[in-house]
Amino acid sequence: MSSNWFKRKLANGEAVTRSWLVYSPSKKSAYCICCLLYSRSEHQSTLQQEGGFSQWKAPERMTVHKNAKNHRECFTLWKELERNLTEKKGILGVELQLQIEKEKQKWRDILMRILHGIKYLTKQNLALRGHRESLQADGNSNVGNFLGLMKFLAVFDPVMREHLALIESHPYALSYISPGVQNEFIHIMASTVRKNLLDSIKKAKYYGLLFDSTPDQAHREQISEVVRFVDIDFERKTVCVRESFLGFLHLRQKDAASFV
Ligand SMILES: [Zn+2]
């Protein structure tokens, strides 16, 4: 098969592309994409059969296929799908699309509130969890700072009020406020903060590393890794020395002994 097969010559000499024609190198055959997708006819052309079209000495068969009623119907459906997709209507109905967009926006709004709540508490060095972490807890239980903050937000914010009311009435509904989700958010934020810190440290010309070792609660040696670097802002013409804690390094017992 040559590239000429993908062009059709009109009587005036103009060439038109056969957009529906596709070639499979593994099968060494040609197919009609719109008939493959839409044809329900019992009389299948070779262009839509599994073996495909490979009668390269009979190019007139392409014209016969193009003019066939079944092909024209399939081609119209295919072009309609293309038009819907390019106009961003999607293949689903407009109403359903709007509903999906509304649902997406609702979850984005809820997640933004949860994320900012966690960001505020972690920035203030406050523990997120409480003694009894449940929205159904009685008034005297401490539900923790995170749930407490979400409940506080719900007093003024209709998005959170509706979300918490749904969780209270359906305890197994999707909530995104579980300790697992809280930890996931903290880890995502921590890796972003760490990446930003490392980016500024890499740019710095002068820096120093500080390591300090202390045993943790399980008497395991842990080493804190701190970087001091000179942050120069040429635009604002400011110079300051910054100190950033990057994390703990846990050592094996024998390494810890030699380190100390
Ligand atoms: Zn066709």
Side-chain angles (χ1 to χ4, degrees):
M1 190 189 193
S2 70
S3 58
N4 291 338
W5 282 80
F6 291 95
K7 298 270 182 218
R8 180 168 63 94
K9 273 233 164 123
L10 297 179
N12 61 4
E14 205 182 318
V16 178
T17 307
R18 285 183 174 127
S19 57
W20 45 269
L21 189 67
V22 288
Y23 179 73
S24 160
S26 63
K27 299 230 174 185
K28 292 190 172 55
S29 301
Y31 297 87
C32 169
I33 186 76
C34 50
C35 287
L36 275 176
L37 288 171
Y38 292 105
S39 178
R40 297 282 175 271
S41 168
E42 282 178 13
H43 306 288
Q44 289 193 338
S45 139
T46 46
L47 279 153
Q48 65 186 98
Q49 285 170 9
E50 205 185 330
F53 176 88
S54 54
Q55 294 158 289
W56 310 120
K57 285 182 180 162
E60 69 283 355
R61 296 279 300 274
M62 287 289 150
T63 315
V64 174
H65 181 80
K66 187 202 139 274
N67 293 328
K69 185 174 171 270
N70 184 45
H71 169 81
R72 279 188 277 133
E73 283 169 4
C74 295
F75 187 76
T76 312
L77 288 171
W78 186 53
K79 282 288 150 187
E80 256 174 41
L81 171 79
E82 190 186 30
R83 203 189 65 224
N84 279 341
L85 288 175
T86 47
E87 283 175 12
K88 291 193 177 168
K89 277 186 192 161
I91 43 175
L92 303 169
V94 178
E95 217 163 287
L96 193 58
Q97 280 288 340
L98 281 173
Q99 220 174 318
I100 293 170
E101 283 305 315
K102 217 172 138 189
E103 192 72 2
K104 264 162 68 178
Q105 193 54 48
K106 184 193 98 176
W107 284 108
R108 270 198 197 116
D109 290 344
I110 292 169
L111 287 173
M112 281 306 275
R113 282 152 175 82
I114 293 172
L115 186 69
H116 279 273
I118 295 172
K119 195 176 155 191
Y120 168 72
L121 293 172
T122 45
K123 218 171 168 185
Q124 298 299 115
N125 264 337
L126 293 168
L128 272 72
R129 303 192 67 175
H131 296 302
R132 190 158 179 265
E133 236 179 324
S134 164
L135 288 172
Q136 281 82 26
D138 58 77
N140 299 325
S141 304
N142 179 2
V143 292
N145 287 325
F146 173 69
L147 276 191
L149 184 65
M150 292 298 115
K151 283 178 116 176
F152 168 75
L153 203 58
V155 176
F156 305 98
D157 176 43
V159 176
M160 218 52 202
R161 192 182 311 140
E162 204 181 299
H163 185 53
L164 294 194
L166 181 86
I167 304 165
E168 274 183 67
S169 54
H170 300 83
Y172 295 105
L174 197 60
S175 72
Y176 288 113
I177 56 169
S178 68
V181 173
Q182 295 172 33
N183 283 339
E184 212 176 316
F185 270 136
I186 293 170
H187 283 133
I188 293 169
M189 284 191 270
S191 62
T192 310
V193 169
R194 198 181 151 87
K195 193 190 161 290
N196 287 347
L197 279 175
L198 288 172
D199 285 347
S200 352
I201 292 164
K202 275 180 204 159
K203 271 190 231 154
K205 203 169 177 183
Y206 307 103
Y207 64 90
L209 291 167
L210 285 88
F211 292 102
D212 200 1
S213 162
T214 41
D216 64 9
Q217 278 184 327
H219 305 291
R220 217 158 46 117
E221 280 303 323
Q222 58 176 7
I223 297 170
S224 57
E225 187 187 5
V226 176
V227 179
R228 267 168 78 88
F229 61 101
V230 182
D231 188 8
I232 306 170
D233 190 333
F234 289 103
E235 277 177 21
R236 290 183 193 165
K237 294 185 179 162
T238 53
V239 178
C240 65
V241 177
R242 293 192 191 280
E243 202 170 278
S244 295
F245 167 70
L246 289 182
F248 286 114
L249 302 171
H250 286 285
L251 290 185
R252 287 175 299 175
Q253 208 63 43
K254 62 180 173 81
D255 295 335
S258 61
F259 184 83
V260 175

